[in-house]
Amino acid sequence: MLDLQRELAMVSTAPVVLIVEDDPSLRTLLSRVLREEGFHPLSAAHGAEMARVIDANPIDLILLDIMLPGSNGFELCRTLRRTSQVPIIILSARDEETDRLIGLELGADDYIAKPFSNRELVARIRAILRRTQGGAQTAPRGYQLLAFSNWTLDPGRRELISPEGAVVDLSGAEFDLLLAFVSSPQRVIGRERLLEMSRTRLADASDRSIDVLVSRLRRKLAAVQAEPLLRTVRGVGYIFTAAVERR
C-alpha cells in the first residue's frame, strides 16, 4: 500500500510529456524511456487523439511527429500555437533545413531528426522544461522587470506584457531570444552570439533559424509598436533599438 501511494505521488509531480507518434513500437519505446527518466508519458497516434488527451490532462511538453495520419505535425503545431504555448519538440525522419525552419516558424521550441539517441532526447526535454518551468531561477539578479517602449518583460514569470497590459504569447525560444536582446540593448549582436545567448538548443541551429525567430518576434512586437524594435545590421546580426529600464 505504501509503495502504491509512493508511486502515485511520483506520478502526480512528474512532468507530463505527450508523445504524438503513429508508430506503436516507437510510442512504446519512448514511453518506457521517459518513465524510466522520471517523466509521466501519455501518448496519441494522431491529431484527434492528441486533442482528446490534451483536453483531459495538463501537459508540460509535447513530442510531435511530422508524418501522421490526417493532419501532419506541422498542421498540428500551427493549431496548437493558436491557443497554447505548451513547449513542442518536433520529431522527424527528415533532416532537411527547410523542415527545421518551418517547424520554428510555426512555433516549435526544438526539432530533432530521427534516429536520435535517448540521452539526447531526454536532455533536450529537460533543457526546455528548465526554461519554461524554472521561472524565478532564471530571473536576472538585482531586478525583476525589464521595461522598454511601454513594454514589460518579466524574466521571473517569463511573460511579455504589451503597452495595453496584455500578455503576449511567446514560445520558449522566442522568450529566450527576446531576453537576450533586452539584456544587451542598443548594441549590435551577431547571429552566433544570439544562438549562444538565447540558449534555444535547437538541433543543428543555424543563422537562418535565428532569422526565423527574429521574424516571429518582429511580428508580435509590431502588432502594437509603430517603430521597429529589432533592426537588421546587414552581414553582422541585429540590434535592439530601444532603451531598457531595469526595475
Side-chain angles (χ1 to χ4, degrees), residues 81-85 160 167-171 174 220:
R81 279 294 173 257
R82 291 172 183 160
T83 58
S84 171
Q85 290 303 309
L160 174 64
V167 177
V168 180
D169 288 335
L170 296 179
S171 70
E174 290 170 344
K220 294 181 179 183

Side-chain angles (χ1 to χ4, degrees), residues 108-109 131 171-178 198 200 202 213 216:
D109 294 87
R131 297 199 303 273
S171 70
E174 290 170 344
F175 183 91
D176 287 342
L177 185 63
L178 181 57
S198 62
T200 53
L202 298 166
L213 289 175
R216 280 164 43 186

Side-chain angles (χ1 to χ4, degrees), residues 14-220:
V16 179
V17 178
L18 172 57
I19 304 162
V20 186
E21 166 64 60
D22 64 331
D23 184 337
S25 60
L26 184 53
R27 283 202 311 273
T28 300
L29 172 63
L30 290 175
S31 294
R32 185 175 72 247
V33 169
L34 293 179
R35 189 173 294 109
E36 290 174 350
E37 293 293 335
F39 298 98
H40 178 45
L42 301 174
S43 63
H46 47 74
E49 190 172 1
M50 177 191 78
R52 290 194 292 270
V53 174
I54 291 175
D55 286 342
N57 301 272
I59 306 296
D60 294 302
L61 184 142
I62 296 176
L63 298 178
L64 183 59
D65 186 33
I66 289 182
M67 303 303 293
L68 295 168
S71 299
N72 65 34
F74 289 144
E75 294 168 342
L76 294 176
C77 184
R78 181 187 295 111
T79 300
L80 282 167
R81 279 294 173 257
R82 291 172 183 160
T83 58
S84 171
Q85 290 303 309
V86 61
I88 298 171
I89 298 178
I90 287 181
L91 307 177
S92 175
R94 293 165 54 94
D95 190 18
E96 301 293 333
E97 183 184 42
T98 300
D99 285 344
R100 294 197 299 273
L101 295 175
I102 290 173
L104 284 174
E105 179 67 28
L106 294 175
D109 294 87
D110 206 344
Y111 184 109
I112 304 179
K114 301 176 182 177
F116 48 80
S117 73
N118 295 335
R119 291 179 62 185
E120 177 185 10
L121 176 64
V122 170
R124 290 185 180 277
I125 290 173
R126 286 178 173 157
I128 290 176
L129 290 177
R130 280 197 300 269
R131 297 199 303 273
T132 57
Q133 299 181 345
Q137 295 180 357
T138 62
R141 294 181 179 179
Y143 60 93
Q144 294 181 336
L145 303 176
L146 295 159
F148 55 90
S149 299
N150 296 319
W151 295 78
T152 302
L153 190 68
D154 187 336
R157 293 180 178 272
R158 294 183 65 83
E159 289 182 346
L160 174 64
I161 311 299
S162 75
E164 289 76 20
V167 177
V168 180
D169 288 335
L170 296 179
S171 70
E174 290 170 344
F175 183 91
D176 287 342
L177 185 63
L178 181 57
L179 182 58
F181 275 122
V182 300
S183 297
S184 300
Q186 300 176 326
R187 292 170 53 190
V188 177
I189 307 177
R191 289 177 176 84
E192 290 185 4
R193 179 59 177 157
L194 284 172
L195 283 169
E196 177 185 344
M197 293 170 67
S198 62
R199 300 178 295 117
T200 53
R201 292 180 172 86
L202 298 166
D204 299 323
S206 65
D207 286 358
R208 290 188 63 192
S209 66
I210 282 293
D211 294 340
V212 169
L213 289 175
V214 169
S215 176
R216 280 164 43 186
L217 276 177
R218 277 177 170 159
R219 287 199 299 269
K220 294 181 179 183

